[in-house]
Amino acid sequence: MSDLVFPAPPPSTVAIAGSQERFPVRRIFCVGRNYAAHAAEMGHDAEREPPFFFTKPADAVVDNHSKVPYPPETNNLHFEIELVVAVGKGGINIPESEALEVVFGYAVGLDMTRRDLQTQAKKMGRPWDWGKAFDHSAPCGPISRTEVCGHPLDHRIWLTRNGEIQQEASTAELIWSVPEVISILSSSMELKPGDLIYSGTPAGVGPTVSGDRLAGGVDGLVDIEVEIA
């Protein structure tokens, strides 16, 4: 007999491309301001300063082709397209030269942001949680295994809103590359299988409203498509 006071929630999972298996999500790490042009459009210095991270809860993930509810307490919900790194092997203090060995695969994700709440938190010197870590804030497309897609470190990344291009860049424009991010992150805490890393968004972020259809991709990976409900 279980000693839990109520049934444990089912694990949050992400689809795996070409498979009936699913990837169990442990934690979601996000890299802030990791494209110079996006840092500039947000009013920040685009120099290569040390990276910083924020997190989202594992159950913030949303499957591909889902309807994403417009969240409460905001009038300025923004889309941010990102290359997502799925960690398949654990490690701490991972050397940059060995970082790609822990990668299970890659996906395309959206870091949905209540921009007004994030901006208010910044002004008041408070955490970003209410602006970033809300329900349904991490839509994620199917994960492509590295043996299928390789490492898309110099590939086109893009997003359209209702068919019109909003964001477009190359993953090679990341200020801190995927191997660097993995190495730096693992120096602060132990990475474990199931962790997702949202690697940052290029310039062109903007507001979305109910009824909008967002689609995006990274060349070589499965596109993501969601509707704002």
Side-chain angles (χ1 to χ4, degrees), residues 79-189:
F79 52 77
E80 298 188 9
I81 194 72
E82 311 216 356
L83 172 66
V84 179
V85 182
V87 176
K89 297 179 182 178
I92 192 166
N93 293 320
I94 301 169
E96 183 183 331
S97 61
E98 301 173 12
L100 294 182
E101 297 175 13
V102 309
V103 178
F104 173 86
Y106 296 89
V108 184
L110 290 166
D111 168 20
M112 303 304 293
T113 303
R114 294 193 285 198
R115 188 71 72 200
D116 42 2
L117 300 189
Q118 183 198 28
T119 300
Q120 182 182 30
K122 288 179 179 178
K123 290 180 179 178
M124 301 179 73
R126 293 178 177 176
W128 291 6
D129 297 60
W130 254 227
K132 289 285 192 179
F134 52 94
D135 296 339
H136 316 293
S137 62
C140 189
I143 297 170
S144 297
R145 300 173 187 261
T146 55
E147 54 262 36
V148 175
C149 70
H151 297 280
L153 306 184
D154 187 7
H155 290 208
R156 175 177 174 256
I157 181 171
W158 56 273
L159 177 137
T160 62
R161 179 171 61 87
N162 301 326
E164 296 185 3
I165 195 75
Q166 304 292 313
Q167 294 182 267
E168 189 171 23
S170 168
T171 56
E173 296 175 41
L174 285 166
I175 297 173
W176 296 91
S177 69
V178 169
E180 290 173 322
V181 165
I182 291 172
S183 180
I184 293 167
L185 186 54
S186 72
S187 70
S188 180
M189 59 185 70

Side-chain angles (χ1 to χ4, degrees), residues 55-68:
T55 62
K56 293 176 181 273
D59 63 2
V61 294
V62 179
D63 264 341
N64 208 11
H65 302 294
S66 293
K67 291 189 175 182
V68 178

Side-chain angles (χ1 to χ4, degrees), residues 197-227:
I197 304 172
Y198 280 57
S199 61
T201 194
V205 302
T208 184
V209 298
S210 296
D212 278 352
R213 293 183 177 274
L214 304 177
V218 173
D219 289 353
L221 304 181
V222 180
D223 294 351
I224 188 170
E225 297 182 18
V226 298
E227 179 182 347

